[in-house]
């Protein structure tokens, strides 16, 4: 096992001891440009992110809504590449040896780069996990199995369409945590009802001990808090990249103050998640 | 020339996981997996149900107007002075293209599956029109996703879809063409999983679509085989068809794949020329990748980002190709070539003037390959060209390209 193996588990263990959910912050690597994206990334742990989900931009993000589509396009326009994304993780690791980083994206850029080369370099950069939207269990031989062999967690999406029969298939070869998509749909769509999330959470718990994080459609600290009462982790993505979208100028840059605002928003979401269980108990 | 590892049959794929060699597969979000597994089951059940076939046969004969004729293009043959040229006239189908063959099959399937809402992507608008047509015929709600750029250049088809009761949804993401329309259709499908059937128009996408669309389009090749045997008493020497996603080509080729003496050529769009970088020739100038649910040849940059395709023909303007074609190319069974916008335009005009048939710009690419090769072939070489669409929709584009104002 490599040194990178274990950050995700250590993170959830620590949070379980504190009786709170993990706050997972998503940004797209290279958005709005490689330099400022690095600054945002480096600032996420201090702002309250427990786990970072870093989007690998793709030209054709089929499962993403308008916010993340736009952030991917900003990043690609600014010259972001897959190698550039790995370099960002490497630079981040110079000052942060413990915050887990999960790369999220689509398979083609990795396939084109070469699976073996990608995995070697990802381990070297300090990547902990992968979420590849268009690789279902049926295609596990492509990347999932080699990733697990390389010590990288392969995190799978569960959705409202995942029935019991399917659940067993999806849980096989899943590691790190499970990502429950609270609505059938694209990123940034409406949030699923808390009751439905809780039911799904229990259904999953009967079959797996892995932590369950919930994402898709969580936009405010209050949303984040309510999901944090029932889930092991809360992912916010579109609402964060929308903060960048709102600030970016014609040259594709934001100001230092904007970076502060983005991280401030992340902080308010983190506070929401941290206060969730107290609120729930009150 | 046969490769040493030639399989016993080229007609047995895909395997159970939807693979044609390394191509094909099911590269979709988990939300869609249960749906495509359901679809696969429903399709297998339909294939085994005689009532499905009799329903298909009836609609194909009386609604679509099949069989389409196999026509000896006498004057074009004389003009090129070589091979004996036949047209498989799928442009005479209801709605003016081969697309309807597949739509009939899939709408019956959607009905069997109890789906009430049909979505589709379209490039030139031919598949959108065919989908809107069958949705109207069966009383189902229909939404067609179409790139804003394509809406601009295919206004008549947009209006046709509206007349047929479909809603055309402009797609402004990415390059606003067919690939983006397909992304948007997938986004809609993933959001409306309960009641929606995604009617894919070409032999691409996640398994079972490539095999299913091929099966529905294979009526073209099955008819052509019978017709040429009747007309000439033997099989043709070569088959020629244009390739965007490749549904008309696979429909013509598939029934002949094990006839080793029949050569086959798929004609891709070279746009402004392969060297210009502005083309849609995925096999000729692309590399394997994963997009829209399958592994296949794609136009992509060094970082694995999908490039925009270009062709004068909106129906060929797609940066990928059906996975079975990728496999047929790698196995050496089918040759793939590319012709430019200009070559297609010249062949388009030859066909209009010599045969009294206005072909669509898509099969004009196949005709351009005929123009290139037929003169050097002997008079007893029989060549069957898939005339897969009529050109009424393209007259504005052609006028524009020829510098004529209408």
């Amino acid at each position: 096992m490599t040194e990178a193996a274990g950050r995700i588990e250590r993170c959830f263990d620590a949070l379980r001891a504190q009786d709170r959910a993990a706050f997972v912050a998503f940004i797209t690597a290279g958005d709005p440009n490689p330099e400022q994206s690095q600054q945002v990334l480096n600032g996420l742990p201090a702002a309250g992110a427990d786990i970072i989900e870093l989007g690998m931009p793709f030209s054709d993000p089929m499962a993403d809504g308008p916010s993340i589509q736009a952030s991917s396009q900003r990043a690609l326009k600014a010259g972001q590449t897959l190698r550039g994304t790995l370099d960002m993780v490497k630079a981040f690791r110079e000052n942060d040896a413990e915050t887990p980083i999960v790369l999220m994206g689509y398979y083609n850029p990795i396939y084109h780069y070469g699976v073996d080369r990608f995995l070697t370099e990802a381990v070297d950069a300090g990547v902990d996990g992968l979420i590849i939207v268009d690789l279902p269990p049926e295609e596990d031989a492509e990347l999932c199995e080699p990733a697990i062999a390389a010590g990288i967690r392969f995190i799978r999406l569960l959705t409202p369409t995942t029935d019991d029969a399917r659940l067993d298939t999806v849980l096989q070869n899943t590691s790190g945590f499970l990502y429950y998509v609270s609505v059938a749909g694209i990123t940034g769509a409406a949030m699923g009802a808390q009751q439905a999330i809780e039911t799904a959470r229990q259904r999953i718990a009967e079959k797996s001990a892995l932590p369950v994080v919930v994402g898709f459609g969580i936009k405010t600290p209050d949303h984040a808090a309510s999901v944090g009462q029932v889930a092991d982790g809360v992912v916010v993505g579109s609402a964060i990249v929308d903060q960048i979208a709102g600030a970016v100028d014609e040259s594709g840059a934001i100001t230092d103050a904007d970076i502060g605002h983005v991280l401030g928003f992340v902080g308010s979401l983190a506070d929401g998640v941290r206060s969730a269980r107290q609120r729930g108990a009150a | 020339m046969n490769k040493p590892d030639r399989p016993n049959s080229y007609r047995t794929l895909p395997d159970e996981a939807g693979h044609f060699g390394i191509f094909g597969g099911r590269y979709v979000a988990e939300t869609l997996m249960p749906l495509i597994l359901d679809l696969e089951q429903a399709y297998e059940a339909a294939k085994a149900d005689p009532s499905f076939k009799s329903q298909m046969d009836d609609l194909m004969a009386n609604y679509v107007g099949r069989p389409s004729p196999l026509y000896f293009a006498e004057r074009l043959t004389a003009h090129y002075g070589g091979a004996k040229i036949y047209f498989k006239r799928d442009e005479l189908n209801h709605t003016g293209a081969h697309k309807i063959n597949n739509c009939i099959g899939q709408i019956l399937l959607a009905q069997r599956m109890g789906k009430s809402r049909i979505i589709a992507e379209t490039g030139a608008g031919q598949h959108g029109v065919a989908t809107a047509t069958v949705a109207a015929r069966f009383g189902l709600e229909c939404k067609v996703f179409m790139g804003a750029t394509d809406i601009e250049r295919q206004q008549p088809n947009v209006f046709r879809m509206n007349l047929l009761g479909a809603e055309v949804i402009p797609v402004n993401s990415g390059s606003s063409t067919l690939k983006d329309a397909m992304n948007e259709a997938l986004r809609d499908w993933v959001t409306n999983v309960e009641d929606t059937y995604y009617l894919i128009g070409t032999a691409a996408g996640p398994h079972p679509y490539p095999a299913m669309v091929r099966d529905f389009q294979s009526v073209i090749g099955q008819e052509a085989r019978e017709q040429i045997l009747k007309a000439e008493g033997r099989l043709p020497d070569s088959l020629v068809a244009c390739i965007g996603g490749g549904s008309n080509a696979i429909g013509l080729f598939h029934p002949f794949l094990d006839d080793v003496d029949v050569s086959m050529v798929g004609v891709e769009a070279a746009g402004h020329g392969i060297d210009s970088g502005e083309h849609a020739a995925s096999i000729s100038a692309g590399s394997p990748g994963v997009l829209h649910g399958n592994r296949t040849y794609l136009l992509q940059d060094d970082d694995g980002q999908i490039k925009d395709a270009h062709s004068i023909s909106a129906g060929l303007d797609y940066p990928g190709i059906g996975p079975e074609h990728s496999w047929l190319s790698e196995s050496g069974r089918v040759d793939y070539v590319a012709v430019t916008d200009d070559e297609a335009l010249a062949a388009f005009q030859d066909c209009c003037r010599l045969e009294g048939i206005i072909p669509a710009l898509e099969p004009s690419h196949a005709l351009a390959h005929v123009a290139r090769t037929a003169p050097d072939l002997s008079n007893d070489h029989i060549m069957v060209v898939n005339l897969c669409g009529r050109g009424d929709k393209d007259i504005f584009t052609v006028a524009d390209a020829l510098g004529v104002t209408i």
Side-chain angles (χ1 to χ4, degrees):
Chain A
M1 294 293 259
T2 61
E3 195 202 329
R7 282 192 200 101
I8 292 173
E9 290 76 12
R10 287 199 294 277
C11 174
F12 280 106
D13 285 347
L15 295 178
R16 209 168 288 125
Q18 297 171 37
D19 189 30
R20 71 170 178 89
F23 173 52
V24 184
F26 172 96
I27 59 168
T28 298
D31 173 30
N33 55 62
E35 297 72 28
Q36 292 188 304
S37 186
Q38 183 82 54
Q39 289 177 327
V40 174
L41 175 66
N42 292 351
L44 287 174
D50 300 303
I51 296 173
I52 295 164
E53 213 181 288
L54 189 61
M56 299 175 280
F58 182 48
S59 53
D60 293 77
M62 278 104 37
D64 284 299
S67 297
I68 292 177
Q69 287 176 44
S71 76
S72 301
Q73 286 188 351
R74 285 193 297 273
L76 291 173
K77 202 177 158 197
Q80 188 69 19
T81 61
L82 185 55
R83 180 60 246 180
T85 300
L86 295 172
D87 287 340
M88 274 181 71
V89 177
K90 204 167 187 172
F92 174 88
R93 282 275 171 252
E94 287 170 12
N95 298 305
D96 188 319
E98 204 47 35
T99 307
I101 292 192
V102 173
L103 297 182
M104 181 166 188
Y106 296 80
Y107 183 44
N108 195 56
I110 295 172
Y111 176 68
H112 194 76
Y113 199 78
V115 165
D116 291 344
R117 177 182 167 211
F118 170 78
L119 289 174
T120 304
E121 295 179 17
V123 168
D124 176 60
V127 170
D128 301 288
L130 292 174
I131 302 174
I132 307 301
V133 179
D134 53 356
L135 282 179
E138 279 71 9
E139 306 293 350
D140 268 358
E142 294 279 343
L143 180 64
C144 172
E145 289 164 12
I148 291 171
I152 291 184
R153 305 291 180 259
F154 201 84
I155 294 143
R156 205 89 74 175
L157 303 181
L158 292 173
T159 76
T161 61
T162 311
D163 59 18
D164 282 338
R166 184 84 194 142
L167 191 55
D168 293 330
T169 310
V170 176
L171 290 174
Q172 203 183 10
N173 285 342
T174 299
S175 53
F177 58 87
L178 289 161
Y179 189 138
Y180 182 67
V181 177
S182 53
V183 288
I186 52 179
T187 52
M191 190 184 78
Q194 191 181 11
Q195 184 57 48
I197 292 171
E198 190 156 8
T199 305
R201 172 77 190 81
Q202 282 164 2
R203 194 162 65 93
I204 296 163
E206 284 169 19
K207 300 205 172 195
S208 171
L210 287 173
V212 177
V213 311
V214 174
F216 280 41
I218 301 164
K219 291 183 194 307
T220 67
D222 283 346
H223 281 168
S226 69
V227 175
Q229 285 168 23
V230 293
D232 300 310
V234 181
V235 188
V236 180
S238 298
I240 298 175
V241 303
D242 278 347
Q243 300 285 318
I244 296 175
V248 72
D249 68 18
E250 280 176 14
S251 72
I254 54 179
T255 64
D256 287 346
D258 294 329
I259 292 176
H261 289 145
V262 172
L263 293 172
F265 179 66
V266 170
S268 68
L269 293 164
D271 288 344
V273 175
R274 281 161 206 262
S275 69
R277 305 261 166 100
Q278 288 94 303
R279 287 201 210 182
Chain B
M1 225 176 20
N2 295 330
K3 290 199 164 186
D5 59 345
R6 192 171 74 78
N8 291 328
S9 171
Y10 287 95
R11 305 183 66 226
T12 58
L13 295 176
D15 65 17
E16 277 182 19
H19 292 114
F20 302 88
I22 68 159
F23 300 104
R26 287 177 284 214
Y27 299 87
V28 296
E30 180 55 34
T31 320
L32 294 180
M33 272 311 299
L35 278 79
I36 65 171
L37 293 172
D38 278 354
L39 174 60
E40 188 182 348
Q41 240 174 16
Y43 178 52
E44 290 304 319
K47 274 199 288 192
D49 180 353
S51 75
F52 182 76
K53 190 183 180 308
S54 62
Q55 240 183 325
M56 273 284 303
D57 290 348
D58 176 58
L59 285 161
M60 285 297 212
N62 301 309
Y63 190 65
V64 176
R66 300 209 73 95
S68 70
L70 184 75
Y71 164 75
F72 172 45
E74 193 175 352
R75 294 194 70 219
L76 206 64
T77 297
H79 180 70
Y80 295 138
K84 191 170 185 186
I85 302 161
Y86 280 87
F87 290 168
K88 179 59 177 163
R89 298 204 54 195
D90 256 52
E91 103 280 10
L92 291 176
N93 295 338
H94 180 40
T95 73
H98 72 290
K99 293 291 186 187
I100 191 87
N101 303 329
N102 166 49
C103 288
I104 294 283
Q106 287 200 56
I107 201 85
L108 290 175
L109 207 51
Q111 213 184 21
R112 286 173 72 102
M113 294 175 79
K115 304 289 184 183
S116 59
R117 184 173 174 272
I118 303 297
I119 58 169
E121 81 296 335
T122 197
Q126 291 304 93
H127 174 58
V129 168
T131 304
T133 297
V134 296
R137 168 66 182 76
F138 287 89
L140 301 175
E141 181 192 342
C142 179
K143 284 195 166 51
V144 179
F145 294 89
M146 188 168 184
T149 306
D150 291 335
I151 286 180
E152 194 62 39
R153 56 181 172 176
Q154 301 287 344
Q155 272 299 322
N157 272 344
V158 174
F159 187 59
R160 280 186 191 105
M161 287 183 266
N162 290 332
L163 287 173
L164 293 161
E167 188 185 344
V168 178
I169 301 172
V171 176
N172 286 299
S173 58
S175 56
S176 307
T177 59
L178 180 56
K179 85 176 170 76
D180 308 289
M182 201 152 178
N183 291 336
E184 212 54 40
L186 284 164
R187 290 182 188 119
D188 181 294
W189 199 24
V190 92
T191 309
N192 299 290
V193 288
E194 293 299 328
D195 62 347
T196 298
Y197 183 93
Y198 181 15
L199 208 164
I200 293 184
T202 193
H207 178 65
Y209 282 101
M212 181 172 71
V213 175
R214 173 199 71 201
D215 293 348
F216 291 142
Q217 291 295 359
S218 289
V219 65
I220 300 172
Q222 286 154 9
E223 287 176 4
R225 207 165 190 287
E226 283 176 27
Q227 289 165 322
I228 199 75
L229 285 173
K230 198 170 169 206
E232 294 281 352
R234 68 175 180 91
L235 293 177
D237 297 289
S238 63
L239 307 174
V240 184
C242 65
I243 309 253
S247 70
N248 89 84
I250 202 71
L252 176 65
F253 296 168
H254 197 260
F256 292 93
L257 283 175
D258 288 337
D259 298 307
V260 290
D261 294 331
V262 180
S263 71
M264 302 177 195
V265 181
V267 186
E268 298 189 300
H272 294 143
I274 300 285
D275 295 340
S276 73
E278 294 180 356
H279 58 79
S282 310
I283 286 190
S284 307
S287 57
V290 173
L291 180 71
H292 294 152
N294 57 176
R295 186 191 340 255
T296 193
Y297 274 81
L298 299 173
L299 301 180
Q300 52 186 330
D301 69 14
D302 292 342
D303 194 43
Q305 308 295 338
I306 308 307
K307 292 206 278 196
D308 291 340
H310 167 82
S311 170
I312 191 172
S313 148
L316 304 183
D317 201 349
Y318 179 70
I321 185 169
E324 192 163 10
H325 287 294
S326 292
W327 177 74
L328 289 170
S329 172
E330 291 221 334
S331 67
R333 178 63 184 95
V334 178
D335 289 325
Y336 294 84
V337 300
V339 307
T340 64
D341 289 353
D342 289 345
E343 290 173 287
L345 269 172
F348 172 96
Q349 293 172 84
D350 284 349
C351 186
C352 291
R353 289 182 187 156
L354 293 167
E355 293 296 344
I357 296 171
I358 302 177
L361 283 170
E362 290 80 13
S364 296
H365 286 71
L367 292 170
H369 177 74
V370 174
R372 242 189 221 174
T373 56
D376 296 329
L377 295 167
S378 70
N379 293 336
D380 60 2
H381 181 107
I382 299 170
M383 187 180 246
V384 174
V385 188
N386 201 3
L387 207 68
C388 63
R390 67 174 178 230
D392 307 51
K393 69 182 175 65
D394 290 319
I395 56 171
F396 301 102
T397 307
V398 172
D400 192 48
L402 298 177
V404 179
T405 309
I406 50 175

